[in-house]
Amino acid sequence: MDGNFSLKEFQELVDDVLIRHKSILDILSKVQESSARVNRSVAKASTNCGCIKIHAEKPDIPDDVTFSKLKSYMSNHVEGDLCHTCEEKIKQEISNNLFYLFALCNNFEFDVEEMTEEYYKQLKLLGKYGLL
Ligand SMILES: [Zn+2]
């Protein structure tokens, strides 16, 4: 891939290749289905492959912690590293999910580059306070 790849190119390609699931109902259900497949691929890395372990527990956060120090008490609950196969599977599922999110944007003629640039500016301005 050359360094000139852009979100706009991807958005245009999604529009070119999406023929069968053009209905907004198909797109919405494919967004949801592909999102579930992302979750399943991560779960399978733990439960089927075993390259990672997911060890979730309530964080032990002192009552007087400041918001700026809170991040240091948080964990992603993942132990180990993804093997190559699981990493590729998860990336493929995320890409498929992005495909349908871009298709949703195309349906309403939203410019993804404009959207992400606006969101980027919002995050830069508001930082962690800007998250929904
Ligand atoms: Zn694995």
Side-chain angles (χ1 to χ4, degrees):
M1 184 82 42
D2 66 43
N4 297 321
F5 177 77
S6 69
L7 293 175
K8 186 175 186 63
E9 275 180 88
F10 185 57
Q11 186 169 13
E12 288 168 358
L13 184 61
V14 168
D15 193 46
D16 287 345
V17 301
L18 187 68
I19 296 165
R20 274 188 61 215
H21 302 294
K22 200 83 174 165
S23 161
I24 186 67
L25 295 175
D26 281 333
I27 294 169
L28 288 172
S29 59
K30 289 300 254 181
V31 166
Q32 190 171 25
E33 178 189 39
S34 59
S35 175
R37 291 181 65 89
V38 171
N39 295 348
R40 183 162 175 77
S41 66
V42 173
K44 289 304 228 179
S46 176
T47 62
N48 195 34
C49 178
C51 58
I52 60 169
K53 292 184 181 349
I54 299 171
H55 183 86
E57 61 187 0
K58 182 180 177 188
D60 191 17
I61 303 169
D63 290 338
D64 60 345
V65 71
T66 60
F67 195 70
S68 61
K69 298 268 189 219
L70 187 58
K71 191 175 184 179
S72 66
Y73 289 93
M74 306 309 279
S75 165
N76 68 5
H77 300 138
V78 176
E79 296 170 2
D81 296 312
L82 291 170
C83 69
H84 179 72
T85 303
C86 291
E87 182 178 323
E88 291 305 308
K89 177 71 174 165
I90 293 168
K91 284 179 178 176
Q92 182 62 42
E93 298 297 358
I94 291 171
S95 298
N96 196 39
N97 188 225
L98 287 172
F99 177 93
Y100 286 107
L101 285 172
F102 276 58
L104 182 60
C105 291
N106 284 341
N107 188 83
F108 294 114
E109 298 178 7
F110 296 158
D111 183 320
V112 174
E113 265 184 2
E114 259 181 46
M115 281 172 47
T116 52
E117 188 176 348
E118 280 303 309
Y119 195 68
Y120 173 84
K121 287 177 187 170
Q122 182 185 331
L123 286 176
K124 288 282 277 187
L125 183 66
L126 300 172
K128 57 192 161 221
Y129 305 103
L131 293 175
L132 300 175

Short mmCIF file of all heavy atoms in Angstrom, two decimals, residues 4-5 11 23 44 48 60 69 72 82 93 95-96 113 117:
data_model
loop_
_atom_site.label_atom_id
_atom_site.label_comp_id
_atom_site.label_asym_id
_atom_site.label_seq_id
_atom_site.Cartn_x
_atom_site.Cartn_y
_atom_site.Cartn_z
N ASN A 4 -0.27 7.17 0.02
CA ASN A 4 -1.33 8.10 -0.34
C ASN A 4 -2.74 7.57 -0.08
O ASN A 4 -3.70 8.20 -0.46
CB ASN A 4 -1.21 8.48 -1.83
CG ASN A 4 0.08 9.21 -2.11
OD1 ASN A 4 0.53 10.03 -1.31
ND2 ASN A 4 0.69 8.92 -3.24
N PHE A 5 -2.82 6.40 0.56
CA PHE A 5 -4.13 5.83 0.85
C PHE A 5 -4.92 6.79 1.74
O PHE A 5 -4.39 7.38 2.66
CB PHE A 5 -3.98 4.48 1.55
CG PHE A 5 -5.28 3.88 1.94
CD1 PHE A 5 -6.09 3.26 1.00
CD2 PHE A 5 -5.72 3.93 3.25
CE1 PHE A 5 -7.31 2.70 1.36
CE2 PHE A 5 -6.93 3.37 3.62
CZ PHE A 5 -7.73 2.77 2.67
N GLN A 11 -13.83 4.88 1.31
CA GLN A 11 -15.27 5.16 1.28
C GLN A 11 -15.82 5.01 -0.14
O GLN A 11 -16.91 4.45 -0.33
CB GLN A 11 -15.55 6.56 1.82
CG GLN A 11 -17.04 6.85 1.95
CD GLN A 11 -17.33 8.13 2.72
OE1 GLN A 11 -16.46 8.96 2.98
NE2 GLN A 11 -18.60 8.29 3.08
N SER A 23 -29.75 -1.86 0.91
CA SER A 23 -30.84 -1.36 1.75
C SER A 23 -30.29 -0.91 3.10
O SER A 23 -29.41 -1.56 3.68
CB SER A 23 -31.88 -2.45 1.97
OG SER A 23 -32.67 -2.15 3.11
N LYS A 44 -12.70 -15.77 20.97
CA LYS A 44 -12.14 -17.04 20.50
C LYS A 44 -10.61 -17.08 20.66
O LYS A 44 -10.04 -18.16 20.83
CB LYS A 44 -12.52 -17.30 19.04
CG LYS A 44 -13.98 -17.66 18.85
CD LYS A 44 -14.36 -18.84 19.69
CE LYS A 44 -15.11 -19.88 18.94
NZ LYS A 44 -15.43 -21.04 19.79
N ASN A 48 -10.65 -20.41 22.44
CA ASN A 48 -10.36 -21.47 21.48
C ASN A 48 -8.86 -21.62 21.25
O ASN A 48 -8.31 -22.69 21.40
CB ASN A 48 -11.09 -21.20 20.16
CG ASN A 48 -11.13 -22.40 19.26
OD1 ASN A 48 -11.21 -23.52 19.73
ND2 ASN A 48 -11.04 -22.17 17.96
N ASP A 60 -9.00 -1.74 41.78
CA ASP A 60 -8.89 -1.27 43.15
C ASP A 60 -8.45 0.19 43.11
O ASP A 60 -7.26 0.49 43.07
CB ASP A 60 -7.87 -2.14 43.90
CG ASP A 60 -7.88 -1.89 45.39
OD1 ASP A 60 -8.88 -1.31 45.89
OD2 ASP A 60 -6.90 -2.27 46.04
N LYS A 69 -5.07 10.78 37.42
CA LYS A 69 -4.33 9.57 37.84
C LYS A 69 -5.15 8.30 37.62
O LYS A 69 -4.62 7.19 37.75
CB LYS A 69 -3.96 9.68 39.33
CG LYS A 69 -3.06 10.83 39.66
CD LYS A 69 -1.62 10.42 39.61
CE LYS A 69 -0.76 11.53 40.15
NZ LYS A 69 0.46 11.74 39.47
N SER A 72 -3.98 5.22 35.43
CA SER A 72 -2.95 4.29 35.90
C SER A 72 -3.54 3.12 36.70
O SER A 72 -2.87 2.13 36.94
CB SER A 72 -1.90 5.03 36.73
OG SER A 72 -2.48 5.54 37.91
N LEU A 82 -1.53 -11.72 21.22
CA LEU A 82 -2.23 -12.44 20.15
C LEU A 82 -1.23 -13.19 19.28
O LEU A 82 -0.16 -12.65 18.96
CB LEU A 82 -3.00 -11.46 19.27
CG LEU A 82 -4.21 -10.76 19.89
CD1 LEU A 82 -4.70 -9.66 18.96
CD2 LEU A 82 -5.32 -11.77 20.18
N GLU A 93 -11.98 -8.94 10.89
CA GLU A 93 -13.34 -8.67 11.38
C GLU A 93 -13.55 -7.17 11.64
O GLU A 93 -14.62 -6.63 11.35
CB GLU A 93 -13.63 -9.47 12.66
CG GLU A 93 -13.59 -10.98 12.49
CD GLU A 93 -14.63 -11.55 11.52
OE1 GLU A 93 -15.46 -10.81 10.97
OE2 GLU A 93 -14.59 -12.79 11.31
N SER A 95 -11.99 -4.79 10.01
CA SER A 95 -12.07 -4.19 8.68
C SER A 95 -13.46 -4.38 8.08
O SER A 95 -14.01 -3.47 7.45
CB SER A 95 -11.01 -4.81 7.75
OG SER A 95 -9.72 -4.55 8.26
N ASN A 96 -14.02 -5.58 8.27
CA ASN A 96 -15.36 -5.85 7.76
C ASN A 96 -16.40 -4.95 8.44
O ASN A 96 -17.32 -4.44 7.81
CB ASN A 96 -15.69 -7.33 7.99
CG ASN A 96 -16.87 -7.79 7.18
OD1 ASN A 96 -17.03 -7.40 6.03
ND2 ASN A 96 -17.70 -8.62 7.76
N GLU A 113 -13.96 11.38 5.96
CA GLU A 113 -12.77 12.19 6.29
C GLU A 113 -13.16 13.45 7.05
O GLU A 113 -12.52 13.81 8.04
CB GLU A 113 -11.98 12.54 5.03
CG GLU A 113 -10.88 11.56 4.81
CD GLU A 113 -9.98 11.88 3.64
OE1 GLU A 113 -10.14 12.91 2.97
OE2 GLU A 113 -9.08 11.06 3.40
N GLU A 117 -12.15 14.08 10.92
CA GLU A 117 -11.37 15.28 11.21
C GLU A 117 -12.09 16.12 12.26
O GLU A 117 -11.46 16.64 13.20
CB GLU A 117 -11.15 16.10 9.94
CG GLU A 117 -10.19 17.25 10.16
CD GLU A 117 -9.89 18.04 8.89
OE1 GLU A 117 -10.23 17.57 7.79
OE2 GLU A 117 -9.30 19.12 9.03
#
